[in-house]
Amino acid sequence: GDFCARMESTLDDEIVERHSHSQSFAKSSCSVSSSLVSPVKPRHHYIRSYSQYTLLGHANRVKCVALAPSERYYVSCAYEDMAVSMHDVYSGKEMTSFFGHEDTVIGASFSLDSKMVATTSRDNSMILWDAVTGRQLFIFDHDKVVICCSF
């Protein structure tokens, strides 16, 4: 079926107009008039051919999921995992696992070309991986827990 996402947004012109009205109004009075602030109008965007699948594989609740920009693979880890698994989106088959963290994995991200994966952990490190071979490319050590990463 189709998926409808309700998104609230305003046009740039409305923002500029509201800002200029509020600046001139603020000079003449201390109170804000509700007539100057127009309500945000919701817009609906439809995602066609939306499908939902249940993929099995983790013993605990899933904490981290990252989808490759190619939309062919995803990586995920569960609550206390010290490794991340990469799966094929269409078959659900595990392609490889990334072992190397000494404590719980917190986050993961794919590079824009889907050739590398970065993972962060409570062990105060971020590891850069080759997504094809599963091999560690580089370990970035930090003074504190690394909670997120992005390319």
Side-chain angles (χ1 to χ4, degrees):
D2 293 344
F3 177 75
C4 177
R6 181 176 174 197
M7 305 186 70
E8 295 185 9
S9 62
T10 57
L11 299 175
D12 291 334
D13 295 335
E14 288 179 26
I15 295 169
V16 171
E17 184 179 335
R18 249 192 274 162
H19 178 70
S20 58
H21 281 312
S22 66
Q23 290 297 324
S24 62
F25 186 75
K27 292 177 186 175
S28 64
S29 174
C30 293
S31 63
V32 177
S33 170
S34 62
S35 64
L36 293 178
V37 180
S38 62
V40 176
K41 296 181 174 102
R43 295 188 321 190
H44 293 82
H45 299 279
Y46 290 92
I47 301 171
R48 304 285 179 210
S49 301
Y50 173 78
S51 298
Q52 181 176 338
Y53 300 97
T54 300
L55 300 171
L56 303 175
H58 292 289
N60 293 316
R61 67 181 171 89
V62 174
K63 179 173 54 176
C64 171
V65 175
L67 181 65
S70 65
E71 298 181 1
R72 177 71 186 178
Y73 303 102
Y74 70 93
V75 292
S76 63
C77 67
Y79 180 63
E80 296 270 330
D81 287 352
M82 291 190 286
V84 176
S85 304
M86 185 168 72
H87 298 265
D88 182 280
V89 168
Y90 301 107
S91 69
K93 178 182 173 190
E94 184 175 328
M95 305 305 291
T96 190
S97 290
F98 304 99
F99 294 96
H101 284 291
E102 297 172 7
D103 203 341
T104 306
V105 175
I106 297 174
S109 178
F110 274 93
S111 64
L112 294 176
D113 61 4
S114 302
K115 292 182 179 179
M116 292 182 286
V117 172
T119 57
T120 61
S121 171
R122 290 187 184 276
D123 66 4
N124 300 353
S125 72
M126 181 183 84
I127 301 178
L128 187 63
W129 308 87
D130 183 315
V132 177
T133 65
R135 195 178 61 125
Q136 285 185 13
L137 299 176
F138 196 80
I139 299 174
F140 300 90
D141 289 316
H142 295 271
D143 293 332
K144 296 184 179 180
V145 172
V146 185
I147 58 171
C148 63
C149 58
S150 180
F151 281 89

